[in-house]
Amino acid sequence: MFDLGYSQIQQSLVQQCWLNISMWILHFLPNSMILWFCNILLLTGVVAVAAGFFAHRIPGLWQYQLLFKITGIALLVLGVYFRGGLAVEETWRERVAAVEERLAVAEKASAEANTQIESKSQKQTAAVRQRTTYIRQYVDREVVKYDAGCAIPESFVRAHNTAAEAPKK
């Protein structure tokens, strides 16, 4: 073998990248077409191996029996490998579908929870605005009474402090 300057890790990464690209391309093909291809590979491998074992009985093919056997075994191995890859891909697609279903249910529950939180928030905001309006009106009434004397009554200080507090539940 000749060395192109790649280390074992780089070669492994290139092979992994090639595998990912090929699986991505296969993702666009329908499963039935891929299954059909795998079955044809398996069937061709079985026929080639059988032809290799029976080639010595046929006058013109006896010299090719080793080629038939090797080719048939290679096709069988490829067919089984692709069939296993297809099974793994289908398993992952089923898992993705299950996660997508759970995600849809979670999104629906999240939307319901968001509407409940929003309505509760609107009610609290309305209560705070109503309380603020009431305290502002009270302060305006009380300021008019005590404006001339410049004395700050205790009720005004309590009203101011009440306005600064968080609303009690």
Side-chain angles (χ1 to χ4, degrees):
M1 282 269 158
F2 54 91
D3 187 20
L4 295 177
Y6 290 118
S7 68
Q8 285 294 103
I9 295 173
Q10 289 172 330
Q11 289 175 353
S12 175
L13 289 175
V14 168
Q15 290 171 352
Q16 187 67 30
C17 182
W18 174 250
L19 182 64
N20 287 341
I21 290 171
S22 64
M23 291 308 287
W24 178 75
I25 292 171
L26 288 177
H27 182 71
F28 292 112
L29 296 175
N31 281 347
S32 60
M33 180 181 275
I34 298 171
L35 183 63
W36 193 67
F37 175 73
C38 292
N39 289 339
I40 286 177
L41 268 179
L42 285 170
L43 185 63
T44 306
V46 168
V47 168
V49 168
F53 281 110
F54 294 113
H56 68 278
R57 297 179 187 212
I58 302 172
L61 296 180
W62 67 270
Q63 68 237 19
Y64 299 114
Q65 76 180 20
L66 183 62
L67 178 67
F68 282 138
K69 288 179 186 177
I70 291 173
T71 305
I73 290 172
L75 289 175
L76 277 172
V77 168
L78 278 175
V80 170
Y81 177 77
F82 287 145
R83 192 72 187 259
L86 181 62
V88 168
E89 179 69 21
E90 288 176 353
T91 303
W92 278 107
R93 286 182 187 183
E94 289 171 2
R95 286 183 182 179
V96 166
V99 168
E100 285 176 348
E101 287 177 14
R102 289 196 328 234
L103 180 65
V105 169
E107 284 177 349
K108 186 177 179 181
S110 173
E112 291 173 4
N114 284 343
T115 57
Q116 290 175 353
I117 290 171
E118 185 68 29
S119 65
K120 186 177 180 181
S121 173
Q122 287 176 352
K123 288 178 185 177
Q124 288 177 347
T125 303
V128 168
R129 285 186 181 153
Q130 182 181 10
R131 183 172 178 261
T132 303
T133 304
Y134 173 75
I135 291 173
R136 192 175 284 152
Q137 290 171 352
Y138 175 76
V139 168
D140 287 344
R141 278 193 317 259
E142 294 298 317
V143 167
V144 173
K145 290 181 189 177
Y146 299 105
D147 197 24
C150 286
I152 301 175
E154 184 66 30
S155 63
F156 183 76
V157 172
R158 265 188 265 125
H160 182 269
N161 290 342
T162 305
E165 290 177 356
K168 296 175 183 167
K169 296 179 180 178

